[in-house]
């Protein structure tokens, strides 16, 4: 009986200590409590190898943190695979079918489990991977707070309801970001992430063919030469597998070309070009085009804010997953 009581007391003390550690969301969290001092270096090593092998994976990892955090907060719910108890998680939503980079998160998690099992959350890996993706693509280095927990809920409907598409207006995007506590300037700033990555033709051919009210059929806000170039790649009934760089000039470099391209009418999505014509966002967009260092500084702050949305609080259901694709009780 004494041994049992002693074990229970030790177990409760361990749980209390772990809870105190887990909820101290801060920069250098795993260093500060000495729970896994090499965590950020391990994630960085994995992401570095992945980006060197395929530079486009940087944009995929940056997109992943956005798609995760906009749905129930930054809790790695986007990583959960379908299961018997949850056959339709977030990743099965139509808007998430093109999300890539899951294998990078898996590799980082496996390395962390070997080094310090049961300590680093998958939600933190997503946030750190996005931060590293920016730096590895030529963007500025910045700190990313850690100490998140992994969520227990992942719903296809939540993803469909909360993730904005590429056809929204600047006003609609402002409203959607505001619902998550992000300002209009943060929304415009974060749109600059489209300086890296690729888009499928069918995401923007609505601006190339049969555009309403246009005698040429092309969205008049498109740079005409660029539009003709895109038409040579993307036919009317194009294969959705065809990819076009979001930035035609430096597709794998994290710079402010997105904004300079936007001023010239050389961005792909309706949601992007709207930022350069709406009276409330035009000045911000032009300012970001003119001052690259200012934009990069704002981007770092905005990404940290995005990656802190709706964190799981003490007493709420959360865990440190052993496998990022499954909740622990399903393993």
């Amino acid at each position: 009986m004494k041994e049992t009581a002693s074990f229970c007391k030790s177990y409760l003390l361990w749980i209390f200590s772990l809870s105190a550690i887990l909820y101290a969301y801060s920069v250098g969290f795993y260093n500060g409590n000495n729970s896994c001092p090499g965590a950020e270096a391990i994630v960085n090593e994995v992401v570095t190898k992945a980006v060197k092998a395929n530079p486009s994976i940087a944009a995929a990892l940056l997109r992943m943190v956005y798609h995760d955090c906009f749905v129930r907060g930054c809790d790695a719910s986007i990583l959960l695979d379908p299961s018997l108890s949850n056959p339709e998680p977030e990743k099965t939503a139509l808007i998430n079918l093109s999300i890539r980079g899951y294998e990078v998160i898996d590799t980082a998690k496996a390395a962390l489990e070997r080094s310090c099992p049961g300590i680093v959350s998958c939600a933190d890996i997503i946030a750190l991977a996005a931060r590293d993706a920016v730096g590895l693509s030529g963007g500025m280095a910045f700190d990313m707070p850690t100490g998140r927990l992994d969520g227990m809920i992942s719903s296809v409907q939540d993803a469909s309801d909360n993730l904005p598409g590429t056809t929204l207006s600047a006003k609609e995007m402002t409203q959607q970001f505001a619902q998550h506590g992000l300002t209009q300037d943060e929304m415009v700033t974060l749109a600059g992430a489209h300086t890296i990555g690729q888009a499928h033709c069918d995401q923007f051919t609505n601006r190339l063919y049969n555009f309403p009210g246009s005698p040429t059929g092309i969205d008049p806000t498109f740079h005409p030469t660029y539009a003709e170039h895109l038409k040579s790649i993307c036919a009317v009934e194009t294969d959705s597998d065809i990819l076009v760089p979001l930035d035609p000039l430096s597709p794998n470099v994290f710079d402010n070309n997105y904004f300079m391209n936007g001023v010239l009418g050389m961005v792909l999505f309706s949601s992007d070009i709207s930022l350069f014509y709406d009276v409330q966002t035009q000045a911000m967009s032009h300012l970001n085009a003119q001052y690259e260092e200012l934009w990069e500084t704002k981007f770092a702050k905005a990404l940290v804010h995005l990656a802190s949305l709706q964190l799981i609080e003490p007493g709420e259901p959360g865990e440190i997953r052993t496998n990022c694709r499954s909740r622990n009780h399903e393993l």
Side-chain angles (χ1 to χ4, degrees), residues 63 98 166-167 198-206 268-270:
R63 185 178 178 221
S98 58
T166 58
T167 59
Q198 306 171 99
H200 294 271
C201 283
D202 59 1
Q203 291 179 287
F204 57 87
T205 47
N206 63 305
L268 298 179
F269 303 139
S270 300

Side-chain angles (χ1 to χ4, degrees), residues 1-13:
M1 290 291 291
K2 288 184 178 180
E3 290 181 356
T4 301
S6 177
F7 170 78
C8 290
K9 182 178 181 181
S10 298
Y11 180 73
L12 289 172
L13 286 172

Side-chain angles (χ1 to χ4, degrees), residues 62 65 130-131 134 142 144 190 299-307:
L62 194 51
V65 73
R131 186 270 309 269
V134 171
F142 58 94
M144 175 62 73
L190 289 168
F299 185 90
K301 292 179 180 178
L303 186 64
V304 168
H305 187 189
L306 171 70

Side-chain angles (χ1 to χ4, degrees), residues 94-109:
L94 181 62
I95 197 169
N96 281 334
L97 295 182
S98 58
I99 291 290
R100 297 182 299 125
Y102 295 118
E103 72 286 352
V104 179
I105 306 301
D106 291 339
T107 301
K109 180 59 174 175

Side-chain angles (χ1 to χ4, degrees), residues 141-287:
F142 58 94
D143 292 326
M144 175 62 73
T146 45
R148 300 166 184 80
L149 286 175
D150 297 324
M152 308 297 289
I153 300 172
S154 183
S155 160
V156 63
Q157 192 60 53
D158 285 344
S160 300
D161 290 344
N162 285 280
L163 290 170
T166 58
T167 59
L168 297 184
S169 67
K171 182 179 180 180
E172 290 169 327
M173 287 190 294
T174 297
Q175 292 171 342
Q176 193 140 23
F177 274 66
Q179 290 172 5
H180 296 278
L182 294 163
T183 67
Q184 186 176 68
D185 186 55
E186 286 177 313
M187 180 270 289
V188 174
T189 298
L190 289 168
H194 287 173
T195 188
I196 56 175
Q198 306 171 99
H200 294 271
C201 283
D202 59 1
Q203 291 179 287
F204 57 87
T205 47
N206 63 305
R207 297 184 61 212
L208 293 175
Y209 300 98
N210 303 315
F211 190 81
S214 171
T216 64
I218 299 173
D219 181 346
T221 61
F222 248 137
H223 187 289
T225 303
Y226 185 49
E228 291 301 329
H229 167 70
L230 292 172
K231 290 179 72 172
S232 70
I233 300 171
C234 303
V236 183
E237 299 296 334
T238 189
D239 188 335
S240 62
D241 289 335
I242 296 177
L243 292 167
V244 175
L246 292 172
D247 176 2
L249 302 177
S250 54
N252 296 315
V253 179
F254 198 84
D255 53 26
N256 70 332
N257 269 4
Y258 164 83
F259 294 101
M260 292 192 287
N261 291 339
V263 171
L264 298 173
M266 294 176 62
V267 288
L268 298 179
F269 303 139
S270 300
S271 55
D272 285 334
I273 196 61
S274 70
L275 301 181
F276 297 88
Y277 282 84
D278 187 278
V279 292
Q280 291 191 348
T281 57
Q282 186 179 60
M284 301 175 197
S285 301
H286 282 250
L287 189 68

Side-chain angles (χ1 to χ4, degrees), residues 8-55:
C8 290
K9 182 178 181 181
S10 298
Y11 180 73
L12 289 172
L13 286 172
W14 177 78
I15 289 292
F16 178 79
S17 299
L18 184 61
S19 297
I21 289 172
L22 291 177
Y23 296 122
Y25 178 70
S26 60
V27 172
F29 167 75
Y30 296 107
N31 296 328
N33 58 46
N34 207 35
S35 59
C36 189
E40 294 196 27
I42 290 171
V43 174
N44 181 266
E45 181 180 1
V46 171
V47 176
T48 299
K49 288 181 179 178
V51 172
K52 284 184 177 179
N54 178 6

